[in-house]
Amino acid sequence: MSPENGKHLPESDATGLNLKETELTLRLPGETRGDIEIKAKSGTKRGFSQIIDLNHDRSSDVHEHDDRGCDKLENETLALQPPAAKAQIVGWPPVRGFRKNAMKSFKFVKVAVDGAPFLRKLDLELYSSYQELLCAFDNMFSCLTICNYLNEKKLMDTANGVEYVPTYEDKDGDWMLVGDVPWKMFVESCKRLRLMKSSEAIGLAPRTPQQSASTS
Amino acid sequence: MQRMACSFPDEVLEHVFSFVQCDNDRNAISTVCKSWYKIERWSRRRVFVGNCYAISPGMVIRRFPELRSIELKGKPHFADFNLVPDGWGGYVAPWISAMAAAYPWLEEIRLKRMVITDENLELIAKSFKNFKVLVLSSCEGFSTEGLAAVAANCRNLRELDLRESEVEDLSGHWLSHFPDDYTSLVSLNIACLGCEVSFSALERLVGRCPNLRTLRLNRAVPLDKLANLLRRAPQLVELGTGAYSSELRPDVFSNLSGAFSGCKELKSLSGFWDVVPGYLPAVYPICCRLTTLNLSYATIQSPDLIKLVGQCQNLQRLWVLDYIEDAGLDAVAASCKGLRELRVFPSDPFGPEPNVLLTEQGLVSVSEGCPKLQSVLYFCRQMSNAALMTIARNRPNMTRFRLCIIEPGTPDYLTLQPLDVGFGAIVEHCKDLQRLSLSGLLTDRVFEYIGTYAKKLEMLSVAFAGESDLGLHHVLSGCENLRKLEIRDCPFGDKALLANAAKLETMRSLWMSSCSVTFGACKLLGQKMPRLNVEVIDERGPPDSRPERCPIEKLYIYRTVAGPRFDMPGFVWTIDEDSAMRLS
């Protein structure tokens, strides 16, 4: 397994097989999804497969998502951990899936990646920041990895070095760069997402590091 | 006795038996003598199979050749909380195939927690010419295509009830497959469907079925269409609304209000997704007739809830979110004197802090104010022994008591003691208690109370409780009527299980997960008890690959006369009599 030291950069997982994702990790009790950040510096990348997220509990989603053998390990960590944080115990409190879903709002939007043969869908309500959304793209598309480039997080296809810029179609039908507006405003106005090859996004993608991508 | 039985011709006995509908009584009749057994089996029309693996379809068909109605249950209850891995089983296919050949006149199929495919639905639609009732409760494996087949072919269909099933939504057009001359619908429950059904098809269907009594819509049916439906079906007795939200407009409101007023028979309301409180008064005119109100999806706050329930003097069943708070339950206690069943669900079950002012006090109020209260499901974050004792003394008529204190291992918040004596009071005072779910901090003592007092208890659910095998032993040795026991995350191991092996044959099933049961004990049990199926559910690979004393993940034991099942997936391990480990 890759050593966890400060110098380790995720893009050295060149094959796209993210071994880090299958590592057992412990999460502090009460830690929520919002607390999980891309720790690019320390080399510790947390994928969503490592987050025991009962909110993922929609019909087939539980096994569709990140099914790289992580589910078994998740169950094992659950069995070993004391019931410290409520959100970490499978099936507790005993509230049925449809009831949890009925209480939640969800917002599924299509996600297209330039060059991919089919689209995916993701529920924007599951995330609370742009960081988490980037993580979601990383998990959903096996060829894409978040890379740290000049203090900025970029989505890259490490096999060929192509960079992808996340864009979205808003309520007015305009194509916008992801990251300019506060997160909640973005969720409200986003109708669909497209990960555009940066070679096509001339004039759109920021060349210099910006603050905007990290607002949430 | 023999002479007496023979003095009546079979037809007379059969006629007498036809007045006996209850399953237990019918079973008793069949044990009187051979002749009664024979007559009874030919005249039995309805059978309930509590565990689809306890018996084979062939055995049922051989004994009861003239069935018209069957009810089957599949997965264990804890499957509702994702504790049973996908693919475990509960397939209805072999039952449908066998019945398609044997029961051409079958009218009713009711399934709970089973896997049913579109193919199975198509077979039902083709095979049973007089098919009338299909109830799929918490089922999965099918799509709207299967529903289309049922709609198109079952000309005498009366009931289509998809209660909380997981349906793959391919299209809303399935509803249009009901032929134009189809008019026999009595009950339609599509509340669990995600997709929009063709609204014009729905309107026409509702309009041409004069016997429609129950209509439960799904969230996708908008509020402004509800009035139209109601005007076409003023005879409705049970209604589930779609989303109960819309811009507040006086014309929509008055239309809706008028439509509700026209429904003089309406006794049950549910739905209310995305409620806009401004539209609630539209139902006020009918509140006094309501006996069932399900607001468990309605995210409305206590003041609005109080105004609503305050008008429901005849309410017998109330399901609500904890937004109702203690104040709202005080109002229920004051207004709903006929209340029999209360369920309070958590609005934020995974939040670390309480988000509402709902405590044990709400339940105590209702137990004081509602003399007929017998069934409770209550989620809360604090409880005390004193409150439980008060509830027990107030309501000795309680028959179902399910308490879920959200944080596992929570003690009495006043004394910091375990809640043993509180639950002990419940089982001691409520002598007819049939179902109990425990929570909070509990030692072996609570199980001693249960074993001593809970003589009518049939189903017990336990989580994060107890200290040793003695706890489990008390329950298995003391609860004479226990049928279903489900346990998770308790320190119960092999001893109590093996010491009470014979008891397991008197029960429908036992579930234990995240306990301390070893594979060795399971093998022993499987070898010694041929009429039990002992299923070890473990996704970590063959149990033999770990030390015999390593605890297994999950255990499901059930009595059966059908022997081991043939459809076990790779993660279910069983032992048969010759002690070879059986894989799927």
Side-chain angles (χ1 to χ4, degrees), chain B residues 146-445:
Chain B
L147 297 179
V150 172
N153 294 296
C154 300
R155 309 215 131 243
N156 293 313
L157 193 71
R158 303 248 170 91
E159 249 181 79
L160 179 61
D161 186 340
L162 303 177
R163 254 179 245 195
E164 292 113 46
S165 289
E166 266 182 42
V167 185
E168 201 189 343
D169 278 321
L170 295 176
S171 132
H173 288 298
W174 68 271
L175 201 73
S176 319
H177 286 249
F178 281 110
D180 291 335
D181 60 352
Y182 166 75
T183 58
S184 25
L185 197 61
V186 173
S187 170
L188 181 67
N189 178 357
I190 53 169
C192 63
L193 290 185
C195 67
E196 269 181 36
V197 288
S198 154
F199 191 76
S200 55
L202 179 62
E203 265 190 329
R204 285 195 308 273
L205 181 63
V206 167
R208 67 177 185 269
C209 295
N211 299 318
L212 191 66
R213 290 174 31 116
T214 299
L215 181 64
R216 304 245 188 237
L217 303 168
N218 62 342
R219 198 174 183 171
V221 176
L223 187 59
D224 53 2
K225 302 270 207 249
L226 185 59
N228 289 350
L229 282 176
L230 290 180
R231 290 194 200 281
R232 278 163 214 253
Q235 77 282 5
L236 275 182
V237 176
E238 300 181 326
L239 172 73
T241 74
Y244 205 77
S245 70
S246 180
E247 272 173 45
L248 271 177
R249 281 166 34 205
D251 56 329
V252 174
F253 181 89
S254 64
N255 197 14
L256 189 60
S257 186
F260 271 116
S261 303
C263 295
K264 307 284 184 207
E265 310 294 325
L266 211 45
K267 295 210 170 48
S268 165
L269 278 183
S270 63
F272 295 105
W273 285 284
D274 315 311
V275 175
V276 162
Y279 275 108
L280 284 174
V283 305
Y284 287 176
I286 58 158
C287 280
C288 56
R289 289 192 285 268
L290 288 180
T291 56
T292 299
L293 185 54
N294 181 353
L295 294 168
S296 60
Y297 302 112
T299 52
I300 41 179
Q301 304 302 315
S302 190
D304 293 308
L305 282 166
I306 291 174
K307 271 189 242 159
L308 189 54
V309 300
Q311 304 189 50
C312 301
Q313 295 87 14
N314 288 306
L315 209 55
Q316 293 176 16
R317 182 184 293 144
L318 176 64
W319 292 19
V320 75
L321 285 169
D322 57 8
Y323 289 128
I324 194 166
E325 301 191 325
D326 290 343
L329 289 174
D330 287 340
V332 170
S335 311
C336 309
K337 292 303 188 187
L339 196 70
R340 286 163 213 247
E341 179 179 324
L342 174 69
R343 296 197 192 189
V344 179
F345 295 95
S347 52
D348 185 21
F350 306 111
E353 298 295 323
N355 60 324
V356 290
L357 284 165
L358 182 103
T359 68
E360 80 284 5
Q361 192 45 49
L363 186 56
V364 171
S365 282
V366 180
S367 76
E368 269 160 11
C370 302
K372 298 196 180 159
L373 186 71
Q374 48 179 179
S375 173
V376 166
L377 170 62
Y378 200 75
F379 283 80
C380 60
R381 290 172 190 268
Q382 69 182 41
M383 187 49 63
S384 65
N385 283 309
L388 284 169
M389 292 193 286
T390 304
I391 292 165
R393 279 195 286 265
N394 286 340
R395 294 276 61 80
N397 53 325
M398 191 77 71
T399 55
R400 287 169 165 69
F401 190 74
R402 292 151 74 187
L403 181 67
C404 178
I405 303 165
I406 287 176
E407 182 65 41
T410 303
D412 176 327
Y413 77 101
L414 295 169
T415 64
L416 299 183
Q417 293 298 302
L419 290 168
D420 300 333
V421 292
F423 280 106
I426 295 279
V427 292
E428 190 184 344
H429 291 274
C430 307
K431 301 202 192 301
D432 292 323
L433 196 69
Q434 285 173 10
R435 185 166 179 184
L436 179 64
S437 300
L438 305 172
S439 58
L441 181 65
L442 296 164
T443 71
D444 284 345
R445 239 177 120 200

Side-chain angles (χ1 to χ4, degrees), chain A residues 57 86 90 92 96 98-99, chain B residues 82 296-297 406-407 488:
Chain A
D57 231 2
K86 286 181 274 295
V90 174
W92 189 269
R96 298 198 46 198
F98 72 86
R99 209 167 267 293
Chain B
N82 302 314
S296 60
Y297 302 112
I406 287 176
E407 182 65 41
R488 61 164 296 176

Side-chain angles (χ1 to χ4, degrees), chain A residues 112 114 163-167 175 194-198 200-201 204:
Chain A
D114 285 355
E163 188 205 329
Y164 288 83
V165 176
T167 64
W175 282 91
R194 176 181 164 202
L195 299 181
M196 196 186 265
K197 285 189 181 152
S198 71
E200 284 190 36
L204 264 193

